[in-house]
Amino acid sequence: MCGRYAASRRPEDLVETFGVEKWDAAETLAPDWNVAPTASVYAVLERPLKDAADLRPVRQLRPLRWGLVPSWATSPDVGVKMINARAETVHEKPSFRRAFTARRCLLPADGYYEWVTEAAERKLEEQGRKKRPRKQPYFVTPADGSVMAMAGLYEFWRDAALPPDHPQAWWATCTVITTEAETTPLAGAAGGG
């Protein structure tokens, strides 16, 4: 995913699309066509409601901070490096293992960016005539304009420096599960279909 995606949908649309039962209108996020690590993003997750007598999981739309901070981390700064979790190893890595077993979510998006290095640029780099090839970003989105959902994990982190009742004592963070990059040319890219 290369660290950027776009999320511009109205929360009301996401509530309908994903069958969300609980959403707080006060937690509305502004549209963002270039979501950066540590920004807030919407997540669709299922968990019991806080302080509810009924412990059944409820599908919720919640804003989470992009960059997973494991519950055992000593600082939230590690989240900047944990925006993506590789599908092939997510179940093994200590940073993601606990969330993988119990805290999975969907991350709605309009699409994501893939950066493609053109063949001529790659050849120059291979010949040592260019240190860093120029990459062209391509926005990958459903052809019909619908919303897509990326697999994700979420985690809660407690800031021990703050009192338990402080509104910023608990952080809710997330990561996108990724896999190997697509090797076939993207539609619209040079040589693509």
Side-chain angles (χ1 to χ4, degrees), residues 15-133:
V15 165
E16 183 178 326
T17 301
F18 294 101
V20 170
E21 299 173 64
K22 181 188 179 299
W23 164 65
D24 184 353
E27 297 178 327
T28 299
L29 301 175
D32 192 342
W33 286 98
N34 196 12
V35 178
T38 73
S40 290
V41 297
Y42 284 123
V44 177
L45 53 94
E46 290 185 351
R47 20 182 324 107
L49 295 175
K50 189 175 181 180
D51 301 327
D54 183 4
L55 296 179
R56 75 174 178 85
V58 174
R59 186 164 292 183
Q60 304 172 39
L61 179 67
R62 297 181 58 178
L64 304 180
R65 182 180 163 118
W66 187 26
L68 190 127
V69 180
S71 61
W72 46 260
T74 57
S75 164
D77 296 339
V78 300
V80 172
K81 298 176 186 170
M82 296 194 205
I83 59 171
N84 297 335
R86 295 282 305 206
E88 297 83 1
T89 58
V90 68
H91 64 287
E92 301 169 346
K93 300 288 182 182
S95 299
F96 304 117
R97 191 172 33 221
R98 195 182 291 172
F100 179 71
T101 60
R103 286 177 286 287
R104 300 177 188 190
C105 63
L106 296 176
L107 300 169
D110 293 289
Y112 62 92
Y113 294 94
E114 281 289 343
W115 277 261
V116 176
T117 303
E118 300 299 331
E121 291 280 325
R122 265 194 308 276
K123 284 183 183 176
L124 288 174
E125 181 189 25
E126 290 167 6
Q127 295 168 357
R129 295 177 39 204
K130 194 163 195 163
K131 296 243 187 253
R132 188 171 176 199

Side-chain angles (χ1 to χ4, degrees), residues 144-165:
D144 64 2
S146 63
V147 67
M148 62 185 293
M150 296 179 283
L153 305 175
Y154 68 98
E155 186 63 89
F156 296 102
W157 180 78
R158 166 81 167 86
D159 187 344
L162 297 173
D165 59 344

